[in-house]
Amino acid sequence: MFTAYTDASIQGDRTFLGFTIEFEDSSTVRRRIVMDRRKPHTAEALAIYELSSFLLHYKLCDGVIFIDCKEAKNWIKRRKGKGIPKSLYRSLRAINVGFQIIPRIYNIAHIICNKGSYIPSNSVSSINRNYYKRIENYPNYRVSLSVYLNYRGGTNKRKTIHKYQKSLNEKIWLGELVREKGDARVFAYYDLRIMVNREGIVKVWAVNYVNLNNHQIVMEQKNRLEQLLKGVEK
């Protein structure tokens, strides 16, 4: 599952649109588009449109788009955005791509809009969407925004949502299922506990002990994962 971010910046008589996409194999695509001045909400909607056009053109499915402008999302959802195809929202849902609102400070596409120098980007042809799909039962949970914000609040590490999501999915696969009730499950990874349900990863917390049996499971799974990934071309 990829995570994407869009943003827009109005500077003088020009508008800068930007988007960033982070993929399963750690590949990143970045684009910056310069156009004539637009109204703020129109610019935000156009940034989403440019990203969406990119995704649909390259048939990139299964992901989430993070934006910091609720009005732009509503324009697209209600098909009111000027210059935005009325079928865009429906087209994105058809390829399993959703939207989530995030605070601007966590929107990494903002850097693209305001960066005057070149920022490296991977070519689409080099991206391996099957990096983890060949591994049996490998999880692909989304991280809720509340979980991510709690994580950011308790650490100095500045991982993006995608990197945090990737790290937690790996820990779920490496860890041990220790509790299950209804559609909620809790996995143990050393002293870390990760709760998931149909919506994705909904809670992460630490305990003050490490179970010896869990330690053994994690170590065995780490060796197994290392061997499995050796056979996957990146």
Side-chain angles (χ1 to χ4, degrees):
M1 180 182 300
F2 68 75
T3 57
Y5 307 77
T6 69
D7 200 12
S9 175
I10 300 170
Q11 303 173 30
D13 60 351
R14 294 193 297 177
T15 295
F16 298 87
L17 312 178
F19 65 78
T20 298
I21 316 171
E22 296 180 312
F23 293 95
E24 295 88 341
D25 64 349
S26 298
S27 296
T28 304
V29 169
R30 304 176 179 92
R31 293 291 187 272
R32 184 170 183 257
I33 301 158
V34 184
M35 60 195 314
D36 293 337
R37 185 180 176 90
R38 296 290 194 279
K39 292 181 180 179
H41 294 163
T42 302
E44 295 279 0
L46 286 171
I48 298 170
Y49 174 50
E50 291 292 341
L51 166 64
S52 303
S53 299
F54 183 91
L55 297 174
L56 293 168
H57 176 76
Y58 287 104
K59 297 180 175 59
L60 299 170
C61 59
D62 302 325
V64 59
I65 300 173
F66 291 100
I67 58 178
D68 57 36
C69 181
K70 187 175 181 179
E71 290 81 1
K73 175 189 174 183
N74 290 337
W75 280 9
I76 291 176
K77 190 172 181 178
R78 296 170 186 170
R79 302 184 294 180
K80 292 182 178 180
K82 185 178 180 181
I84 307 296
K86 291 185 177 181
S87 62
L88 178 58
Y89 185 77
R90 188 168 60 250
S91 297
L92 288 173
R93 297 303 297 169
I95 60 172
N96 193 31
V97 174
F99 291 95
Q100 191 167 347
I101 305 296
I102 60 171
R104 166 157 285 192
I105 59 172
Y106 304 119
N107 189 350
I108 61 175
H110 185 69
I111 299 171
I112 305 295
C113 294
N114 293 278
K115 189 81 170 177
S117 58
Y118 171 75
I119 301 179
S121 179
N122 293 102
S123 64
V124 177
S125 61
S126 69
I127 298 168
N128 183 4
R129 298 298 307 278
N130 295 318
Y131 191 63
Y132 290 108
K133 286 183 179 178
R134 299 181 192 178
I135 300 175
E136 185 179 1
N137 297 324
Y138 201 86
N140 193 24
Y141 292 108
R142 296 184 182 185
V143 174
S144 71
L145 182 61
S146 61
V147 168
Y148 176 69
L149 294 181
N150 286 337
Y151 169 78
R152 287 283 298 237
T155 178
N156 291 323
K157 294 180 180 179
R158 295 191 174 274
K159 288 184 178 180
T160 64
I161 294 173
H162 178 79
K163 289 178 181 176
Y164 186 45
Q165 173 180 288
K166 219 179 140 183
S167 174
L168 286 176
N169 275 305
E170 181 177 299
K171 288 176 171 61
I172 289 170
W173 193 86
L174 294 173
E176 176 187 11
L177 178 63
V178 293
R179 192 190 315 162
E180 188 169 10
K181 185 176 182 181
D183 65 348
R185 295 187 292 169
V186 176
F187 294 87
Y189 176 85
Y190 295 123
D191 62 341
L192 196 67
R193 298 295 180 268
I194 306 166
M195 179 181 287
V196 304
N197 62 21
R198 293 178 185 174
E199 301 300 318
I201 299 170
V202 294
K203 187 176 180 181
V204 179
W205 72 99
V207 296
N208 59 2
Y209 62 89
V210 175
N211 183 281
L212 185 60
N213 183 61
N214 174 249
H215 182 280
Q216 183 67 27
I217 289 172
V218 171
M219 294 301 295
E220 290 175 356
Q221 286 287 80
K222 278 186 174 181
N223 291 332
R224 185 181 170 210
L225 183 62
E226 184 178 344
Q227 294 301 315
L228 289 170
L229 289 179
K230 282 182 179 179
V232 179
E233 292 183 4
K234 184 172 180 179

